């Protein structure tokens, strides 16, 4: 499988990182943590940590530019 497949993502680690970011944000008085990724909603453990979800649409050219960047 390619890196595009859900099996290639460590969702437990992703959820852990989001949780740590939320705790750090709360401790410092910040109100938001931004998590992004095309598989953001794939795993229930990650979805459970999310609040409001805002979808941003990008042009095809911008998507290719971002996915191709080093």
């Amino acid at each position: 499988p390619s890196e595009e497949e859900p099996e290639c993502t460590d969702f437990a680690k992703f959820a852990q990182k989001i949780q740590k970011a939320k705790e750090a944000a709360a401790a410092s008085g910040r109100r938001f943590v931004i998590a992004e990724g095309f598989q953001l909603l794939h795993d229930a453990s990650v979805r459970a940590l999310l609040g409001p979800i805002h979808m941003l649409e990008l042009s095809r050219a911008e998507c290719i530019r971002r996915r191709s960047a080093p």
Side-chain angles (χ1 to χ4, degrees), residues 6-62:
E7 297 79 24
C8 295
T9 299
D10 184 344
F11 288 104
K13 188 172 184 178
F14 192 22
Q16 181 182 46
K17 296 282 188 178
I18 293 171
Q19 182 60 42
K20 284 184 178 183
K22 287 176 69 172
E23 291 167 3
S28 67
R30 293 188 312 257
R31 297 177 47 207
F32 302 101
V33 170
I34 297 173
E36 69 90 20
F38 71 100
Q39 294 181 10
L40 186 62
L41 303 177
H42 181 79
D43 186 77
S45 65
V46 173
R47 282 193 312 268
L49 296 170
L50 305 176
I53 297 171
H54 299 275
M55 184 174 150
L56 304 175
E57 291 190 35
L58 302 174
S59 69
R60 185 173 198 281
E62 180 63 12

